[in-house]
């Protein structure tokens, strides 16, 4: 029985320039652990999209990554505004981001669908006014 | 195509990654929207962009891209260059516009080389 390796990060919601740092760190760690490039790429893209969302749509939060024997689990928790209509938010091209986000290179409404695409399972628990927790799994 | 050839074709100034100029790349993409790079890029090794912020470097890192070309003389900060060095990404800046840079690289065969696996 191998142990579960865990990583924890605080995601600063008030400093856009640091957005994505946690995902970069996870990518480095997974590389050091010797995981195959395609697995690392899936985890990286899904986590990065979610991390950016926490910064641009919520006010930051926490990111936890658990490396199990048979899967990698990414848990992103924020205490932002929540997502009123998840089905709508999951549609490609749906975004509430305004011009101030688009000039930063984000806000095309592609993040959530991309997170689903690159992971084997994705669960969104969200309450308006309280926050959002997204749990994604990539099977090994 | 070698990264060094890209640099000379574009007359670009190299900002980091001199040790990787001999690396081969097969295709490129051009966008100022990192959302689109994350959603649509597959195996393009080169990113051509006019957007300058740390997320350009991090996005390229996430996508396993190996070279970033900033157009219209856009120049990244020292912090961004440091990030790129840590990720092993070659960074250069060109005075050309995105359209011209893409045209030159495409004309020289980048992204349409026979047998490079692209369709
Ligand atoms: N953590 C979150 N908290 C609150 N709302 C969110 C959160 N994540 C996503 N949303 C909402 O869902 C919408 C769609 O998210 P998605 O990531 O697909 O697109 P985007 O972030 O707007 O643009 P892109 O990801 O292409 O840069 C967002 O515009 C926002 O309204
Ligand atoms: Mg998003």
């Amino acid at each position: 029985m191998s142990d579960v390796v865990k990583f924890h990060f605080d995601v600063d919601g008030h400093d856009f320039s640091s957005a994505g740092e946690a995902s970069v760190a996870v990518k480095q760690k997974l590389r050091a652990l010797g995981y195959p490039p395609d697995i690392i790429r899936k985890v990286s893209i899904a986590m990065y999209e979610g991390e950016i969302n926490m910064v641009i749509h919520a006010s930051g939060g926490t990111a936890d990554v658990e490396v199990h024997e048979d899967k990698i689990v990414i848990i992103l928790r924020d205490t932002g505004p929540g997502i009123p209509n998840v089905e709508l938010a999951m549609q490609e091209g749906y975004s509430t981001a305004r011009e101030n986000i688009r000039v930063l290179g984000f806000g095309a409404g592609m993040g959530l669908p991309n997170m689903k695409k690159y992971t084997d399972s994705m669960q969104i628990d969200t309450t308006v006014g309280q926050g959002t927790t997204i749990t994604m799994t990539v099977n090994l | 195509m070698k990264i060094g050839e890209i640099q000379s074709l574009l007359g670009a100034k190299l900002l980091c990654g001199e040790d990787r100029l001999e690396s081969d790349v097969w295709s490129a993409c051009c966008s100022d929207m990192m959302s689109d790079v994350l959603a649509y890029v597959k195996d393009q090794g080169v990113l051509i962009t006019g957007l300058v912020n740390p997320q350009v470097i991090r996005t390229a890192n996430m996508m396993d891209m190996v070279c970033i070309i900033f157009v219209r003389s856009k120049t990244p900060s020292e912090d961004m260059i440091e990030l790129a060095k840590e990720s092993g990404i070659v960074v250069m800046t060109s005075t050309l516009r995105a359209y011209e840079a893409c045209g030159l690289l495409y004309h020289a065969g980048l992204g349409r080389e026979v047998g490079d696996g692209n369709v």
Side-chain angles (χ1 to χ4, degrees), chain A residues 83-131:
Chain A
I83 305 173
N85 185 337
V86 173
E87 202 186 323
L88 189 61
M90 283 300 301
Q91 285 178 16
E92 281 188 12
Y94 176 83
S95 175
T96 57
R98 299 202 304 207
E99 191 52 28
N100 62 326
I101 299 299
R102 274 193 286 274
V103 297
L104 297 171
F106 294 91
M110 296 305 295
L112 288 172
N114 215 24
M115 289 154 74
K116 189 168 173 63
K117 177 174 141 195
Y118 280 104
T119 55
D120 293 297
S121 81
M122 171 166 149
Q123 189 188 328
I124 303 179
D125 298 299
T126 183
T127 308
V128 171
Q130 289 188 18

Side-chain angles (χ1 to χ4, degrees), chain B residues 2-14:
Chain B
K2 303 235 180 284
I3 294 179
E5 284 177 68
I6 293 182
Q7 187 199 353
S8 37
L9 274 167
L10 303 183
K13 182 175 159 204
L14 190 70

Side-chain angles (χ1 to χ4, degrees), chain A residues 48-50 52-54 56-57 95 106-113 115, chain B residues 35:
Chain A
Y48 185 70
E49 293 273 20
I52 299 280
N53 277 356
M54 288 169 78
I56 63 179
H57 304 300
S95 175
F106 294 91
M110 296 305 295
L112 288 172
M115 289 154 74
Chain B
S35 301

Side-chain angles (χ1 to χ4, degrees), chain B residues 44-86:
Chain B
Q44 286 89 333
V46 180
L47 173 62
I48 299 153
T49 189
L51 179 73
V52 187
N53 64 31
Q55 283 67 34
V56 173
I57 314 284
R58 296 195 184 109
T59 301
N61 179 348
M62 293 302 115
M63 302 308 291
D64 299 316
M65 299 175 109
V66 292
C67 175
I68 302 171
I69 300 155
F70 290 101
V71 291
R72 303 194 298 275
S73 305
K74 304 268 170 154
T75 306
S77 66
E78 279 304 317
D79 287 357
M80 290 175 59
I81 294 173
E82 207 43 52
L83 266 179
K85 282 184 187 163
E86 286 165 20

Side-chain angles (χ1 to χ4, degrees), chain A residues 6-54:
Chain A
K6 292 182 180 177
F7 305 113
H8 176 84
F9 302 89
D10 290 316
V11 177
D12 187 344
H14 303 284
D15 174 21
F16 181 75
S17 71
S18 68
E21 267 179 358
S23 304
V24 170
V26 165
K27 181 159 192 159
Q28 244 166 23
K29 287 174 192 295
L30 294 178
R31 272 207 185 123
L33 290 169
Y35 285 93
D38 60 319
I39 294 286
I40 297 179
R41 188 189 293 202
K42 286 183 190 176
V43 171
S44 301
I45 297 173
M47 177 172 174
Y48 185 70
E49 293 273 20
E51 184 183 353
I52 299 280
N53 277 356
M54 288 169 78

